[in-house]
Amino acid sequence: MRNIGPTSSRELSEIGIENRDQLRALGIEETTRRLLFRFGSEKKISLNYLYALEGAIYDRDWRDITPARKQELRSLLERLRRELSNHIA
């Protein structure tokens, strides 16, 4: 998948995503939720990771994401991090 390197590919595989169709079907929110749940304590899921996922879903370079969409992704990541921390607490 475009924008997805070997480490991210391995992580996505661990949460059941092997290709773009599966990523697209699950969606960026649920994919991020699963990544945070699975890897949140081991590594920080970054905003750039979400940009890469967004680019992979639409088969475009992550740098082509609009500023408005980047802000939406930033808000999504913050919300999901809070959700996870409230769930664990």
Coordinates of all heavy atoms in Angstrom, one line a residue:
M1 N 0.8 -1.2 0.0 CA 0.0 0.0 0.0 C 0.9 1.2 0.0 O 1.9 1.3 0.6 CB -0.9 0.0 1.2 CG -2.0 -1.0 1.2 SD -3.1 -0.9 2.7 CE -2.1 -1.7 3.9
R2 N 0.4 2.2 -0.7 CA 1.1 3.5 -0.8 C 1.3 4.1 0.6 O 0.3 4.1 1.4 CB 0.4 4.4 -1.7 CG 1.1 5.7 -2.0 CD 0.3 6.4 -3.0 NE 1.1 7.5 -3.5 CZ 0.9 8.2 -4.6 NH1 -0.2 7.9 -5.3 NH2 1.6 9.2 -5.0
N3 N 2.4 4.7 0.9 CA 2.7 5.3 2.2 C 3.0 4.4 3.4 O 3.3 4.9 4.4 CB 1.6 6.3 2.6 CG 1.3 7.4 1.6 OD1 2.2 8.0 1.1 ND2 0.0 7.5 1.3
I4 N 2.8 3.1 3.2 CA 2.9 2.2 4.3 C 4.2 1.4 4.2 O 4.4 0.6 3.2 CB 1.7 1.2 4.3 CG1 0.4 1.9 4.3 CG2 1.8 0.2 5.4 CD1 0.2 2.8 5.6
G5 N 5.1 1.6 5.1 CA 6.4 0.9 5.1 C 6.3 -0.5 5.8 O 5.2 -0.9 6.2
P6 N 7.4 -1.1 5.9 CA 7.4 -2.5 6.5 C 6.9 -2.6 7.9 O 6.2 -3.5 8.2 CB 8.9 -2.9 6.4 CG 9.6 -1.9 5.6 CD 8.7 -0.7 5.5
T7 N 7.3 -1.6 8.8 CA 6.9 -1.7 10.1 C 5.4 -1.5 10.2 O 4.7 -2.2 10.9 CB 7.6 -0.7 11.0 OG1 9.0 -0.9 10.9 CG2 7.2 -0.7 12.4
S8 N 4.9 -0.5 9.6 CA 3.4 -0.2 9.6 C 2.7 -1.4 9.0 O 1.6 -1.7 9.5 CB 3.1 1.1 8.8 OG 3.7 2.2 9.5
S9 N 3.2 -1.9 7.9 CA 2.6 -3.1 7.3 C 2.4 -4.2 8.2 O 1.4 -4.9 8.3 CB 3.4 -3.5 6.0 OG 2.7 -4.5 5.4
R10 N 3.5 -4.5 9.0 CA 3.5 -5.6 10.0 C 2.4 -5.3 11.1 O 1.7 -6.1 11.5 CB 4.9 -5.7 10.6 CG 5.1 -6.9 11.5 CD 6.5 -7.2 11.8 NE 7.3 -6.0 12.2 CZ 8.2 -5.3 11.5 NH1 8.4 -5.8 10.3 NH2 8.8 -4.3 11.9
E11 N 2.4 -4.0 11.5 CA 1.4 -3.7 12.6 C 0.0 -3.8 12.1 O -0.9 -4.3 12.8 CB 1.7 -2.2 13.0 CG 3.0 -2.1 13.8 CD 3.5 -0.7 14.0 OE1 2.9 0.3 13.5 OE2 4.5 -0.5 14.7
L12 N -0.2 -3.3 10.8 CA -1.6 -3.5 10.3 C -2.0 -4.9 10.1 O -3.1 -5.3 10.4 CB -1.7 -2.7 8.9 CG -1.6 -1.2 9.0 CD1 -1.4 -0.6 7.6 CD2 -2.8 -0.6 9.7
S13 N -1.0 -5.7 9.7 CA -1.3 -7.2 9.6 C -1.7 -7.8 11.0 O -2.6 -8.6 11.1 CB -0.1 -7.9 9.1 OG -0.3 -9.3 9.0
E14 N -1.1 -7.3 12.0 CA -1.4 -7.8 13.4 C -2.8 -7.4 13.8 O -3.4 -8.1 14.7 CB -0.4 -7.3 14.4 CG 0.9 -8.0 14.4 CD 1.8 -7.6 15.6 OE1 1.3 -7.6 16.7 OE2 3.0 -7.4 15.4
I15 N -3.4 -6.4 13.2 CA -4.8 -6.1 13.6 C -5.7 -6.5 12.4 O -6.9 -6.1 12.4 CB -5.0 -4.6 13.9 CG1 -4.6 -3.7 12.7 CG2 -4.2 -4.2 15.2 CD1 -5.1 -2.2 12.9
G16 N -5.3 -7.3 11.5 CA -6.1 -8.0 10.5 C -6.3 -7.2 9.2 O -7.1 -7.5 8.4
I17 N -5.3 -6.3 8.9 CA -5.4 -5.6 7.7 C -4.2 -6.0 6.8 O -3.1 -5.7 7.2 CB -5.4 -4.0 7.9 CG1 -6.7 -3.7 8.7 CG2 -5.4 -3.3 6.6 CD1 -6.7 -2.2 9.2
E18 N -4.5 -6.6 5.7 CA -3.5 -7.1 4.8 C -3.4 -6.3 3.5 O -2.4 -6.3 2.7 CB -3.7 -8.5 4.4 CG -3.8 -9.5 5.6 CD -2.4 -9.7 6.2 OE1 -1.4 -9.5 5.5 OE2 -2.4 -10.0 7.4
N19 N -4.5 -5.5 3.2 CA -4.5 -4.8 1.9 C -5.4 -3.5 2.0 O -6.0 -3.3 3.0 CB -5.0 -5.7 0.8 CG -6.3 -6.3 1.0 OD1 -7.3 -5.5 1.3 ND2 -6.5 -7.6 1.0
R20 N -5.3 -2.7 0.9 CA -6.1 -1.5 0.9 C -7.6 -1.7 1.0 O -8.3 -0.9 1.7 CB -5.7 -0.7 -0.3 CG -6.3 0.7 -0.3 CD -5.8 1.6 -1.3 NE -5.9 1.0 -2.7 CZ -6.3 1.7 -3.7 NH1 -6.7 3.0 -3.6 NH2 -6.4 1.1 -4.9
D21 N -8.1 -2.7 0.4 CA -9.6 -2.9 0.5 C -10.0 -3.2 2.0 O -11.0 -2.7 2.4 CB -10.0 -4.1 -0.4 CG -9.9 -3.8 -1.8 OD1 -9.9 -2.6 -2.2 OD2 -9.8 -4.8 -2.6
Q22 N -9.2 -3.9 2.7 CA -9.5 -4.2 4.1 C -9.4 -2.9 4.9 O -10.2 -2.6 5.8 CB -8.6 -5.2 4.7 CG -8.9 -6.6 4.1 CD -7.9 -7.6 4.6 OE1 -6.7 -7.3 4.8 NE2 -8.3 -8.9 4.7
L23 N -8.3 -2.1 4.6 CA -8.2 -0.8 5.3 C -9.3 0.1 5.0 O -9.9 0.7 5.9 CB -6.8 -0.2 4.8 CG -6.5 1.2 5.4 CD1 -6.5 1.2 6.9 CD2 -5.2 1.7 4.8
R24 N -9.7 0.2 3.8 CA -10.8 1.1 3.4 C -12.1 0.6 4.0 O -12.9 1.4 4.5 CB -11.0 1.1 1.9 CG -12.0 2.0 1.4 CD -12.2 2.0 -0.1 NE -11.0 2.7 -0.7 CZ -10.5 2.5 -1.9 NH1 -11.0 1.6 -2.6 NH2 -9.5 3.2 -2.3
A25 N -12.4 -0.7 4.1 CA -13.6 -1.3 4.7 C -13.7 -1.0 6.2 O -14.7 -0.6 6.7 CB -13.7 -2.8 4.4
L26 N -12.5 -1.1 6.8 CA -12.5 -0.8 8.3 C -12.6 0.7 8.6 O -13.2 1.1 9.6 CB -11.2 -1.4 8.9 CG -11.2 -1.6 10.4 CD1 -12.4 -2.4 10.9 CD2 -9.9 -2.2 10.8
G27 N -11.9 1.5 7.7 CA -12.0 2.9 7.9 C -10.8 3.4 8.8 O -10.3 2.6 9.6
I28 N -10.5 4.7 8.7 CA -9.4 5.2 9.4 C -9.7 5.3 10.9 O -8.8 5.0 11.7 CB -9.0 6.6 8.9 CG1 -7.6 6.9 9.4 CG2 -10.0 7.7 9.2 CD1 -6.9 8.0 8.6
E29 N -10.9 5.6 11.3 CA -11.2 5.7 12.8 C -11.0 4.3 13.5 O -10.3 4.2 14.5 CB -12.6 6.2 13.0 CG -12.9 6.4 14.5 CD -14.1 7.2 14.8 OE1 -14.6 7.9 13.9 OE2 -14.6 7.0 15.9
E30 N -11.7 3.3 12.9 CA -11.6 2.0 13.6 C -10.1 1.4 13.5 O -9.6 0.8 14.4 CB -12.6 1.0 13.0 CG -12.6 -0.3 13.7 CD -12.9 -0.3 15.2 OE1 -13.6 0.7 15.7 OE2 -12.5 -1.2 15.9
T31 N -9.5 1.7 12.4 CA -8.1 1.2 12.2 C -7.2 1.9 13.3 O -6.4 1.2 14.0 CB -7.5 1.5 10.8 OG1 -8.3 0.8 9.9 CG2 -6.1 1.1 10.7
T32 N -7.4 3.2 13.5 CA -6.6 3.9 14.5 C -6.9 3.4 15.9 O -6.0 3.2 16.7 CB -6.8 5.4 14.3 OG1 -6.5 5.8 13.0 CG2 -6.0 6.2 15.3
R33 N -8.2 3.2 16.1 CA -8.6 2.7 17.4 C -7.9 1.4 17.7 O -7.4 1.2 18.8 CB -10.1 2.5 17.5 CG -10.7 2.1 18.8 CD -12.2 2.0 18.8 NE -12.8 3.3 19.0 CZ -13.5 3.9 18.0 NH1 -13.7 3.3 16.9 NH2 -14.0 5.1 18.2
R34 N -7.9 0.5 16.8 CA -7.3 -0.8 17.0 C -5.8 -0.7 17.1 O -5.2 -1.4 17.9 CB -7.6 -1.7 15.8 CG -9.1 -2.1 15.8 CD -9.4 -3.0 14.7 NE -10.8 -3.3 14.6 CZ -11.3 -4.3 13.9 NH1 -10.6 -5.1 13.1 NH2 -12.6 -4.5 13.9
L35 N -5.1 0.2 16.3 CA -3.7 0.4 16.5 C -3.3 0.9 17.9 O -2.4 0.5 18.5 CB -3.2 1.4 15.4 CG -3.1 0.8 14.0 CD1 -2.8 1.9 13.0 CD2 -2.0 -0.3 13.9
L36 N -4.1 1.9 18.3 CA -3.9 2.5 19.7 C -4.1 1.4 20.7 O -3.3 1.3 21.7 CB -4.8 3.7 19.9 CG -4.5 5.0 19.2 CD1 -5.6 5.9 19.3 CD2 -3.2 5.6 19.8
F37 N -5.1 0.6 20.6 CA -5.4 -0.4 21.6 C -4.3 -1.5 21.6 O -3.8 -1.9 22.6 CB -6.7 -1.1 21.3 CG -7.1 -2.1 22.4 CD1 -7.6 -1.7 23.6 CD2 -6.9 -3.4 22.2 CE1 -8.0 -2.6 24.6 CE2 -7.3 -4.4 23.1 CZ -7.8 -3.9 24.3
R38 N -3.8 -1.9 20.4 CA -2.8 -2.9 20.3 C -1.4 -2.4 20.6 O -0.6 -3.1 21.3 CB -2.9 -3.5 18.9 CG -1.7 -4.5 18.5 CD -1.7 -5.7 19.5 NE -0.5 -6.5 19.2 CZ 0.7 -6.4 19.7 NH1 0.9 -5.4 20.6 NH2 1.7 -7.2 19.4
F39 N -1.0 -1.2 20.1 CA 0.3 -0.8 20.2 C 0.5 0.5 21.0 O 1.7 0.9 21.2 CB 0.9 -0.5 18.8 CG 0.9 -1.7 17.9 CD1 0.0 -1.8 16.9 CD2 1.8 -2.7 18.1 CE1 0.0 -2.9 16.1 CE2 1.9 -3.8 17.3 CZ 0.9 -3.9 16.3
G40 N -0.5 1.0 21.6 CA -0.4 2.3 22.3 C 0.6 2.3 23.4 O 1.3 3.3 23.7
S41 N 0.7 1.2 24.1 CA 1.7 1.1 25.2 C 3.1 0.9 24.7 O 4.1 1.1 25.5 CB 1.3 0.1 26.3 OG 1.3 -1.2 25.7
E42 N 3.2 0.3 23.6 CA 4.5 0.0 23.0 C 5.2 1.1 22.2 O 6.4 1.3 22.2 CB 4.4 -1.2 22.1 CG 4.0 -2.5 22.9 CD 3.7 -3.6 21.9 OE1 4.3 -3.7 20.8 OE2 2.9 -4.5 22.2
K43 N 4.3 1.9 21.5 CA 4.9 2.9 20.7 C 3.8 4.0 20.6 O 2.6 3.8 20.8 CB 5.3 2.4 19.3 CG 4.1 2.0 18.4 CD 4.5 1.6 17.0 CE 4.4 2.8 16.1 NZ 4.7 2.6 14.8
K44 N 4.2 5.2 20.2 CA 3.2 6.3 20.0 C 2.7 6.2 18.6 O 3.5 6.3 17.6 CB 3.9 7.6 20.3 CG 3.0 8.7 20.3 CD 3.6 10.0 20.7 CE 2.6 11.1 20.7 NZ 3.1 12.3 21.2
I45 N 1.4 6.1 18.4 CA 0.8 6.2 17.1 C 0.8 7.7 16.8 O 0.1 8.4 17.5 CB -0.6 5.5 17.1 CG1 -0.5 4.1 17.5 CG2 -1.2 5.7 15.7 CD1 0.3 3.2 16.7
S46 N 1.5 8.1 15.8 CA 1.6 9.5 15.5 C 0.6 10.0 14.5 O -0.1 9.2 13.8 CB 3.0 9.7 14.9 OG 3.1 9.2 13.6
L47 N 0.5 11.3 14.4 CA -0.3 11.9 13.4 C 0.2 11.6 12.0 O -0.7 11.4 11.1 CB -0.3 13.5 13.6 CG -1.3 14.3 12.9 CD1 -2.7 13.8 13.1 CD2 -1.2 15.7 13.3
N48 N 1.5 11.5 11.8 CA 2.0 11.1 10.5 C 1.5 9.7 10.1 O 1.3 9.4 8.9 CB 3.5 11.2 10.5 CG 4.0 12.6 10.4 OD1 3.3 13.5 10.0 ND2 5.2 12.8 10.8
Y49 N 1.3 8.8 11.1 CA 0.8 7.5 10.8 C -0.6 7.6 10.2 O -0.9 7.0 9.3 CB 0.8 6.7 12.1 CG 0.8 5.2 12.0 CD1 1.5 4.4 12.9 CD2 0.2 4.5 11.0 CE1 1.5 3.0 12.8 CE2 0.2 3.1 10.9 CZ 0.8 2.4 11.8 OH 0.9 1.0 11.7
L50 N -1.4 8.5 10.8 CA -2.8 8.7 10.3 C -2.7 9.3 8.9 O -3.5 8.9 8.0 CB -3.6 9.6 11.2 CG -4.4 8.8 12.3 CD1 -3.5 8.2 13.3 CD2 -5.4 9.7 12.9
Y51 N -1.8 10.2 8.6 CA -1.7 10.8 7.3 C -1.3 9.6 6.3 O -1.9 9.6 5.2 CB -0.6 11.8 7.2 CG -0.8 13.1 8.0 CD1 0.2 14.0 8.3 CD2 -2.1 13.4 8.6 CE1 0.0 15.1 9.0 CE2 -2.3 14.6 9.3 CZ -1.2 15.4 9.5 OH -1.4 16.6 10.2
A52 N -0.4 8.8 6.7 CA 0.0 7.6 5.8 C -1.3 6.7 5.6 O -1.5 6.3 4.4 CB 1.1 6.8 6.5
L53 N -2.0 6.5 6.6 CA -3.2 5.6 6.4 C -4.2 6.3 5.5 O -4.8 5.6 4.6 CB -3.9 5.4 7.8 CG -3.1 4.5 8.8 CD1 -3.9 4.5 10.1 CD2 -3.0 3.1 8.2
E54 N -4.4 7.6 5.7 CA -5.4 8.3 4.8 C -4.9 8.3 3.4 O -5.7 8.0 2.5 CB -5.4 9.8 5.3 CG -6.3 10.7 4.5 CD -7.8 10.6 4.8 OE1 -8.2 9.8 5.7 OE2 -8.6 11.3 4.2
G55 N -3.6 8.5 3.2 CA -3.1 8.4 1.8 C -3.2 7.0 1.2 O -3.5 6.8 0.0
A56 N -3.0 6.0 2.1 CA -3.1 4.6 1.6 C -4.6 4.3 1.2 O -4.8 3.6 0.2 CB -2.6 3.6 2.7
I57 N -5.5 4.7 2.0 CA -6.9 4.5 1.7 C -7.3 5.0 0.3 O -8.0 4.4 -0.5 CB -7.8 5.1 2.8 CG1 -7.7 4.3 4.1 CG2 -9.3 5.2 2.3 CD1 -8.4 4.9 5.3
Y58 N -6.8 6.2 0.0 CA -7.2 6.9 -1.2 C -6.1 6.8 -2.3 O -6.2 7.4 -3.4 CB -7.6 8.4 -1.0 CG -8.8 8.4 -0.1 CD1 -8.6 8.8 1.3 CD2 -10.0 8.1 -0.6 CE1 -9.8 8.8 2.1 CE2 -11.1 8.2 0.3 CZ -11.0 8.5 1.6 OH -12.1 8.6 2.4
D59 N -5.1 6.0 -2.1 CA -4.0 5.8 -3.0 C -3.4 7.1 -3.5 O -3.3 7.4 -4.7 CB -4.4 4.9 -4.2 CG -3.2 4.4 -5.0 OD1 -2.2 4.3 -4.4 OD2 -3.4 4.2 -6.2
R60 N -3.0 8.0 -2.5 CA -2.4 9.2 -2.9 C -1.3 9.5 -1.8 O -1.3 9.0 -0.7 CB -3.3 10.4 -3.0 CG -4.0 10.8 -1.7 CD -4.9 12.0 -1.9 NE -6.2 11.5 -2.2 CZ -7.3 12.1 -1.9 NH1 -7.3 13.2 -1.3 NH2 -8.5 11.5 -2.1
D61 N -0.4 10.4 -2.2 CA 0.7 10.7 -1.3 C 0.1 11.4 -0.1 O -0.7 12.3 -0.2 CB 1.7 11.7 -2.0 CG 3.0 11.9 -1.3 OD1 2.9 12.7 -0.3 OD2 4.0 11.2 -1.6
W62 N 0.7 11.1 1.1 CA 0.2 11.7 2.3 C 0.3 13.2 2.3 O -0.4 13.9 3.0 CB 0.8 11.1 3.5 CG 2.3 11.4 3.7 CD1 3.3 10.7 3.2 CD2 2.9 12.5 4.3 NE1 4.5 11.3 3.5 CE2 4.3 12.4 4.2 CE3 2.3 13.6 5.0 CZ2 5.1 13.3 4.7 CZ3 3.2 14.5 5.6 CH2 4.6 14.4 5.4
R63 N 1.3 13.7 1.6 CA 1.5 15.2 1.6 C 0.4 15.9 0.8 O 0.3 17.2 0.8 CB 2.9 15.5 1.0 CG 4.0 15.0 1.9 CD 5.3 15.1 1.2 NE 5.4 14.0 0.2 CZ 6.5 13.4 -0.2 NH1 7.6 13.8 0.2 NH2 6.4 12.5 -1.1
D64 N -0.4 15.2 0.1 CA -1.5 15.8 -0.7 C -2.8 16.0 0.1 O -3.8 16.5 -0.4 CB -1.8 15.0 -1.9 CG -0.7 15.0 -2.9 OD1 0.1 16.0 -2.9 OD2 -0.6 14.1 -3.7
I65 N -2.8 15.6 1.4 CA -3.9 15.7 2.3 C -4.1 17.2 2.6 O -3.2 17.9 2.9 CB -3.8 14.9 3.6 CG1 -3.6 13.4 3.2 CG2 -4.9 15.1 4.5 CD1 -3.1 12.6 4.4
T66 N -5.4 17.6 2.5 CA -5.7 19.1 2.7 C -5.5 19.5 4.1 O -5.6 18.6 5.0 CB -7.1 19.4 2.3 OG1 -8.0 18.7 3.2 CG2 -7.4 19.0 0.8
P67 N -5.2 20.7 4.3 CA -5.0 21.2 5.7 C -6.3 20.9 6.6 O -6.2 20.6 7.7 CB -4.8 22.7 5.6 CG -4.1 22.8 4.2 CD -4.8 21.8 3.4
A68 N -7.4 21.1 6.0 CA -8.7 20.8 6.7 C -8.8 19.4 7.1 O -9.2 19.0 8.3 CB -9.9 21.2 5.9
R69 N -8.4 18.5 6.2 CA -8.5 17.0 6.6 C -7.4 16.7 7.6 O -7.6 15.9 8.5 CB -8.3 16.2 5.3 CG -8.4 14.7 5.6 CD -9.7 14.3 6.2 NE -9.8 12.8 6.4 CZ -10.5 12.2 7.3 NH1 -11.3 12.9 8.1 NH2 -10.5 10.9 7.4
K70 N -6.2 17.3 7.5 CA -5.2 17.1 8.5 C -5.7 17.5 9.9 O -5.5 16.8 10.9 CB -3.9 17.9 8.2 CG -3.2 17.2 7.0 CD -1.9 18.0 6.7 CE -1.1 17.3 5.6 NZ 0.1 18.0 5.3
Q71 N -6.4 18.6 10.0 CA -7.0 19.0 11.3 C -8.0 18.0 11.7 O -8.1 17.7 12.9 CB -7.7 20.4 11.1 CG -8.3 20.9 12.4 CD -7.3 20.9 13.6 OE1 -6.1 21.4 13.4 NE2 -7.7 20.4 14.7
E72 N -8.9 17.5 10.8 CA -9.8 16.4 11.2 C -9.1 15.2 11.8 O -9.6 14.6 12.8 CB -10.7 16.0 10.0 CG -11.6 17.1 9.6 CD -12.3 16.7 8.3 OE1 -12.1 15.6 7.7 OE2 -13.1 17.5 7.8
L73 N -8.0 14.8 11.2 CA -7.3 13.6 11.6 C -6.6 13.9 13.0 O -6.6 13.0 13.8 CB -6.2 13.2 10.6 CG -6.8 12.7 9.3 CD1 -5.7 12.5 8.2 CD2 -7.6 11.4 9.5
R74 N -6.1 15.1 13.2 CA -5.5 15.5 14.4 C -6.6 15.4 15.6 O -6.3 14.8 16.6 CB -5.0 17.0 14.4 CG -4.3 17.4 15.6 CD -3.7 18.8 15.5 NE -2.6 18.8 14.5 CZ -2.7 19.4 13.3 NH1 -3.8 20.1 12.9 NH2 -1.7 19.3 12.4
S75 N -7.8 15.9 15.3 CA -8.9 15.9 16.3 C -9.3 14.4 16.5 O -9.5 14.0 17.7 CB -10.1 16.6 15.8 OG -9.8 18.0 15.7
L76 N -9.3 13.6 15.5 CA -9.7 12.2 15.6 C -8.6 11.5 16.5 O -9.0 10.8 17.5 CB -9.7 11.5 14.3 CG -9.8 10.0 14.3 CD1 -11.2 9.6 14.8 CD2 -9.6 9.4 12.9
L77 N -7.4 11.7 16.3 CA -6.3 11.1 17.1 C -6.4 11.5 18.6 O -6.3 10.7 19.5 CB -4.9 11.4 16.5 CG -3.8 10.7 17.2 CD1 -3.9 9.2 17.2 CD2 -2.5 11.1 16.5
E78 N -6.6 12.8 18.8 CA -6.8 13.3 20.2 C -8.0 12.6 20.9 O -7.9 12.2 22.0 CB -6.9 14.8 20.2 CG -5.6 15.5 19.8 CD -5.8 17.0 19.6 OE1 -7.0 17.5 19.7 OE2 -4.8 17.6 19.2
R79 N -9.1 12.5 20.2 CA -10.3 11.9 20.7 C -10.1 10.5 21.1 O -10.5 10.0 22.1 CB -11.5 12.1 19.8 CG -12.8 11.5 20.3 CD -14.0 11.8 19.4 NE -13.8 11.4 18.1 CZ -14.0 10.2 17.6 NH1 -14.4 9.2 18.4 NH2 -13.9 9.9 16.3
L80 N -9.5 9.7 20.1 CA -9.2 8.3 20.3 C -8.2 8.0 21.5 O -8.4 7.1 22.2 CB -8.8 7.6 19.0 CG -9.9 7.6 18.0 CD1 -9.3 6.9 16.7 CD2 -11.1 6.8 18.4
R81 N -7.2 8.9 21.6 CA -6.3 8.8 22.7 C -7.0 9.0 24.1 O -6.8 8.2 25.0 CB -5.1 9.7 22.6 CG -4.1 9.3 21.5 CD -3.0 10.3 21.5 NE -2.0 9.9 20.5 CZ -1.2 10.8 19.9 NH1 -1.3 12.1 20.1 NH2 -0.3 10.3 19.0
R82 N -7.9 10.0 24.1 CA -8.6 10.2 25.3 C -9.6 9.0 25.6 O -9.7 8.6 26.8 CB -9.5 11.5 25.2 CG -8.7 12.8 25.4 CD -9.7 14.0 25.6 NE -10.6 14.1 24.6 CZ -10.5 14.7 23.4 NH1 -9.3 15.3 23.1 NH2 -11.4 14.8 22.5
E83 N -10.2 8.5 24.6 CA -11.1 7.4 24.7 C -10.4 6.2 25.3 O -10.8 5.5 26.2 CB -11.7 7.1 23.4 CG -12.7 5.9 23.3 CD -13.1 5.6 21.9 OE1 -13.8 6.5 21.3 OE2 -12.8 4.5 21.4
L84 N -9.2 5.9 24.8 CA -8.4 4.8 25.2 C -7.9 5.0 26.7 O -8.0 4.1 27.5 CB -7.2 4.5 24.3 CG -6.3 3.3 24.7 CD1 -7.2 2.0 24.6 CD2 -5.1 3.3 23.8
S85 N -7.5 6.2 27.0 CA -7.0 6.5 28.4 C -8.1 6.4 29.4 O -7.9 5.9 30.5 CB -6.3 7.8 28.5 OG -7.2 8.9 28.3
N86 N -9.3 6.8 29.0 CA -10.5 6.7 29.9 C -10.9 5.2 30.1 O -11.4 4.8 31.1 CB -11.7 7.5 29.3 CG -11.4 9.0 29.5 OD1 -10.6 9.4 30.3 ND2 -12.1 9.7 28.6
H87 N -10.7 4.5 29.0 CA -11.1 3.0 29.0 C -10.1 2.3 29.9 O -10.6 1.4 30.7 CB -11.1 2.4 27.6 CG -11.5 1.0 27.6 ND1 -12.7 0.6 27.8 CD2 -10.7 -0.1 27.3 CE1 -12.8 -0.7 27.7 NE2 -11.6 -1.2 27.4
I88 N -8.9 2.6 29.9 CA -7.9 1.9 30.7 C -7.9 2.4 32.1 O -7.7 1.6 33.0 CB -6.5 2.1 30.1 CG1 -6.4 1.5 28.7 CG2 -5.4 1.6 31.0 CD1 -5.1 1.7 27.9
A89 N -8.2 3.6 32.4 CA -8.2 4.2 33.7 C -9.2 3.6 34.7 O -10.0 2.9 34.5 CB -8.4 5.7 33.7

